């Protein structure tokens, strides 16, 4: 600085010293604080654990529906033995990939499953027909309906009409077909047929009836092919005999 009297004077700069601070963006987890919090709330945690255990046990032993699986094995024999020496009379059942998958789809065919449902009369079985079961007291729909009545929203109109027997049967056919499993035993012509339902007797009956109908259909197909071959042979012999007599 230069004063008014003409003498030059230099002043030292003023420096404000402050203690150095370290700014670190990372935060450390206090393990002891977390343990202390858990220790203070141990009774609350124990209460909720016991509540969950009780609820799970009640659901398993009271509300959950037990399921039963029935499994049967069917072995398909090759149709290499022909009644007559005609390639078009009786088809051969080989062990190739396409034949195996075809037989699996045949065993799971909807028409085959529908015949099982009809012959076992599953429409009259409460395990498959929900309309024959006793309605539960507490359902989500009942709770929603009760809540609407409390707040004055009213009902949702008249209930829908009950399903017909045909509708129920179609639903059971779809349910059985969806639960049915057919698998080929590797490197063999054996097939595992299994189904899982809530009725142990029905599970076994469905598998046995399915295999019974399948075998009956295969015998009928082979018998029909044999009849056609015999008819063809009789006609052919008659033609040859007529030609010989004419000669």
């Amino acid at each position: 600085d230069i004063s008014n009297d003409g003498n030059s004077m230099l002043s030292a700069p003023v420096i404000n010293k402050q203690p150095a601070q370290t700014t670190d963006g990372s935060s450390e987890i206090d393990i002891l604080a977390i343990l202390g919090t858990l220790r203070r709330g141990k009774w609350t945690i124990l209460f909720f654990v016991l509540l969950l255990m009780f609820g799970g046990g009640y659901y398993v032993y009271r509300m959950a529906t037990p399921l039963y699986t029935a499994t049967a094995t069917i072995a398909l024999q090759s149709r290499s033995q022909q009644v007559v020496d005609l390639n078009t009379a009786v088809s051969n059942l080989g062990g190739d990939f396409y034949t195996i998958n075809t037989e699996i789809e045949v065993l799971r065919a909807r028409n085959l499953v529908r015949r099982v449902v009809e012959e076992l009369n599953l429409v009259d079985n409460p395990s498959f027909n929900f309309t024959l079961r006793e309605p539960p007291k507490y359902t989500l729909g009942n709770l929603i309906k009760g809540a609407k009545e409390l707040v004055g929203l009213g009902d949702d109109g008249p209930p829908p009409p009950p399903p017909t027997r045909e509708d129920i049967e179609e639903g059971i056919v779809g349910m059985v077909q969806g639960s049915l499993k057919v698998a080929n035993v590797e490197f063999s012509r054996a097939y595992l047929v299994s189904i899982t339902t809530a009725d142990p007797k029905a599970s076994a009956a469905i598998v046995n009836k399915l295999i019974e109908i399948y075998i009956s259909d295969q015998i009928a197909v082979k018998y029909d092919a044999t009849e056609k071959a015999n008819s063809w042979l009789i006609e052919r012999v008659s033609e040859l005999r007529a030609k010989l007599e004419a000669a």
Side-chain angles (χ1 to χ4, degrees):
D1 295 336
I2 301 176
S3 62
N4 295 329
D5 58 0
N7 295 327
S8 299
M9 298 180 62
L10 298 175
S11 60
V14 180
I15 301 176
N16 295 327
K17 295 183 179 181
Q18 296 181 355
Q21 296 181 354
T22 303
T23 59
D24 189 0
S26 62
S27 58
E28 296 181 357
I29 299 176
D30 193 348
I31 304 298
L32 295 179
I34 295 176
L35 293 178
T37 304
L38 294 176
R39 188 181 298 109
R40 288 191 297 271
K42 60 182 178 181
W43 295 113
T44 303
I45 296 174
L46 180 61
F47 170 76
F48 281 104
V49 170
L50 293 177
L51 183 63
L52 291 174
M53 292 177 61
F54 175 78
Y58 179 80
Y59 175 79
V60 170
Y61 292 100
R62 290 289 184 179
M63 299 181 63
T65 303
L67 299 177
Y68 304 90
T69 301
T71 304
T73 304
I74 178 174
L76 305 181
Q77 296 181 354
S78 176
R79 302 177 193 165
S80 58
Q81 183 179 1
Q82 300 178 351
V83 179
V84 292
D85 191 12
L86 295 173
N87 293 328
T88 58
V90 181
S91 60
N92 293 330
L93 179 62
D96 58 285
F97 172 81
Y98 299 102
T99 302
I100 290 174
N101 284 275
T102 300
E103 295 301 318
I104 290 177
E105 293 303 320
V106 169
L107 284 166
R108 296 187 68 254
R110 190 173 183 87
N111 292 334
L112 191 64
V113 175
R114 179 179 286 104
R115 291 170 59 187
V116 173
V117 173
E118 292 175 353
E119 293 193 19
L120 295 180
N121 199 19
L122 296 182
V123 178
D124 294 333
N125 190 330
S127 298
F128 297 88
N129 188 350
F130 66 94
T131 61
L132 301 179
R133 306 172 195 165
E134 183 179 356
K137 296 181 180 180
Y138 304 101
T139 61
L140 181 60
N142 293 337
L143 294 177
I144 295 175
K145 182 178 180 181
K148 288 183 177 180
E149 292 177 354
L150 288 177
V151 298
L153 294 179
D155 55 9
D156 297 330
T164 62
R165 186 178 180 86
E166 290 74 16
D167 296 335
I168 296 175
E169 182 176 316
E170 286 298 320
I172 295 176
V173 171
M175 180 177 61
V176 173
Q177 188 181 26
S179 302
L180 186 65
K181 295 181 180 179
V182 181
N184 171 245
V185 180
E186 193 174 5
F187 305 116
S188 71
R189 292 191 179 93
Y191 294 83
L192 295 178
V193 182
S194 63
I195 191 171
T196 302
T197 69
D199 189 340
K201 294 182 179 179
S203 295
I206 289 172
V207 171
N208 292 331
K209 180 60 67 173
L210 181 74
I211 294 178
E212 177 184 340
I213 296 176
Y214 173 80
I215 294 176
S216 299
D217 288 349
Q218 297 300 317
I219 294 175
V221 169
K222 189 171 182 179
Y223 178 80
D224 184 62
T226 304
E227 287 294 316
K228 290 181 179 179
N230 290 335
S231 299
W232 184 87
L233 283 176
I234 293 173
E235 293 177 0
R236 185 60 177 168
V237 169
S238 298
E239 293 176 358
L240 295 175
R241 181 180 300 163
K243 290 181 181 180
L244 289 176
E245 293 177 353

